[in-house]
Amino acid sequence: MNNLSGARRVHLQSYIVTPKALSDALTKNVPTKISTAPRVIPLCAAWFLPNDPKGRTGQQVFKEQRIPSARFFDLDAVKDHDSPYPHMLPTAEVFAKAMEEIGIRKDDEVVVYDTQELGIFSAPRVAWTLKIFGHTGVHILNNFRLWVEQGYPTESGDVDAPEGQSHYPTPSLDVSKVVDFPEMKEVAKDYGKEGAEGIQILDARSKGRWAGTEAEPRPGLSSGHMPGSINVPVPELLGPKTGALLPGDELRKVFLSKGVDPERPIISSCGTGVTAAVIDAALGEADFGRPEVRRLYDGSWTEWAQRASEADGLIRKKA
């Protein structure tokens, strides 16, 4: 039985996977009730900004259309509920409990995907979260819009709870990949100083929000940017029609055109730490810079704008 199961299993080879690769993996790795072999689990990470003009929610679009057998990861639920900021990383215990409730085991291969409407948006944040909590078999589908357009199956309606609760051991967080506010403040203060490390901050928000000419989606929050940050809006990393992540060589050209230096450390940021992970995924797909010096600012602009100010020179505005 084990040999047959091993022969049947198809492994996903890359972090960013195509609809065909996922379809092949799902077709050739059909789980059975008695099997304890690792499974391929599509994981929907649908999420919308709080000012979404249509008032959509992730749960809503997940029920309307999803990949068969997919589970749902709720970004607004699996987080640090004691933090005043929207999407700070959960504790290891909260993360493990969420994985168990979703029905994911530690050795499952998880393919995280986004909404058809947004293309690539919040899935990289969920995939990044799994990675830094030590889940090795994690991938991003590029993307659900293409999955639908290419005729792969979908389903709709309410979702049955997973049969039995899986056990997910409490993991350790890889803190080397996460930047907090005190460190971010030092990086910003050191910008332009002789002898500074030269850390680059890449900001995924729109040009208007970065420049301070467009309002933030959260009322009362100042727009603008950190000293020295480079604006890399998410749409520039995606195909205009498909909403899919661009090929690696094209992504590399985008980063070079922005003046990003692959030899220097990079911190990705955005509004709440969600789309910063799109930049992180794009850097990986472009093989741009060393992975060990690519990190993400978890609190991102929502934390920064509440703890820094224009008066202390830590919020800049540029038309």
Side-chain angles (χ1 to χ4, degrees):
M1 177 69 74
N2 287 340
N3 287 338
L4 288 173
S5 176
R8 173 173 62 90
R9 184 158 175 75
V10 172
H11 289 279
L12 293 162
Q13 299 298 320
S14 59
Y15 185 49
I16 308 297
V17 301
T18 64
K20 184 180 186 304
L22 175 57
S23 177
D24 289 348
L26 290 170
T27 301
K28 296 175 182 178
N29 296 283
V30 180
T32 66
K33 290 184 178 180
I34 62 172
S35 173
T36 58
R39 304 158 299 173
V40 176
I41 306 287
L43 183 62
C44 178
W47 179 77
F48 294 89
L49 287 167
N51 65 341
D52 181 68
K54 296 182 181 179
R56 295 167 294 185
T57 68
Q59 281 276 13
Q60 173 193 332
V61 298
F62 175 66
K63 289 182 179 181
E64 288 173 355
Q65 189 177 38
R66 61 181 176 272
I67 296 173
S69 77
R71 317 288 170 82
F72 180 74
F73 188 103
D74 190 345
L75 264 173
D76 287 326
V78 189
K79 63 178 184 179
D80 181 359
H81 287 275
D82 293 327
S83 171
Y85 312 113
H87 295 118
M88 301 295 276
L89 284 165
T91 64
E93 291 77 14
V94 167
F95 174 80
K97 185 173 184 291
M99 292 296 99
E100 290 179 347
E101 291 174 349
I102 293 169
I104 291 176
R105 300 193 293 250
K106 180 74 172 178
D107 58 357
D108 286 334
E109 285 199 68
V110 179
V111 181
V112 191
Y113 72 94
D114 254 301
T115 67
Q116 186 180 350
E117 295 90 338
L118 298 180
I120 293 288
F121 187 62
S122 49
R125 169 68 187 204
V126 172
W128 176 80
T129 299
L130 265 67
K131 282 206 305 180
I132 64 169
F133 275 116
H135 196 105
T136 54
V138 59
H139 313 269
I140 298 170
L141 176 64
N142 198 27
N143 57 16
F144 185 51
R145 185 183 300 174
L146 290 176
W147 174 278
V148 173
E149 289 179 358
Q150 291 170 13
Y152 293 105
T154 63
E155 63 181 17
S156 61
D158 292 332
V159 182
D160 294 332
E163 292 186 7
Q165 193 176 61
S166 65
H167 171 66
Y168 200 100
T170 303
S172 297
L173 172 68
D174 183 358
V175 295
S176 71
K177 297 296 184 184
V178 188
V179 182
D180 60 15
F181 177 78
E183 181 181 0
M184 204 71 211
K185 189 175 181 180
E186 290 305 310
V187 170
K189 283 184 172 181
D190 285 346
Y191 172 69
K193 289 184 179 178
E194 187 176 349
E197 191 178 353
I199 296 173
Q200 302 166 106
I201 305 167
L202 307 190
D203 191 326
R205 293 174 302 145
S206 67
K207 183 178 180 181
R209 290 169 64 188
W210 178 87
T213 59
E214 179 184 324
E216 289 293 312
R218 288 168 178 79
L221 201 66
S222 171
S223 56
H225 59 270
M226 304 168 207
S229 74
I230 300 170
N231 188 212
V232 186
V234 165
E236 296 185 22
L237 304 173
L238 310 179
K241 293 183 179 179
T242 64
L245 206 60
L246 293 170
D249 58 342
E250 293 185 37
L251 290 169
R252 189 173 184 85
K253 290 177 183 176
V254 172
F255 291 122
L256 290 173
S257 73
K258 300 284 184 179
V260 185
D261 184 346
E263 301 302 318
R264 290 163 51 196
I266 294 171
I267 296 173
S268 298
S269 181
C270 60
T272 66
V274 174
T275 57
V278 178
I279 291 180
D280 189 72
L283 289 166
E285 184 69 0
D287 193 22
F288 196 94
R290 291 174 290 127
E292 62 270 20
V293 293
R294 295 200 302 257
R295 297 183 293 161
L296 190 149
Y297 174 28
D298 196 25
S300 283
W301 188 257
T302 300
E303 179 182 39
W304 187 262
Q306 293 180 65
R307 301 184 67 178
S309 70
E310 285 188 73
D312 58 21
L314 295 179
I315 291 180
R316 305 282 177 88
K317 295 182 185 287
K318 178 182 179 182

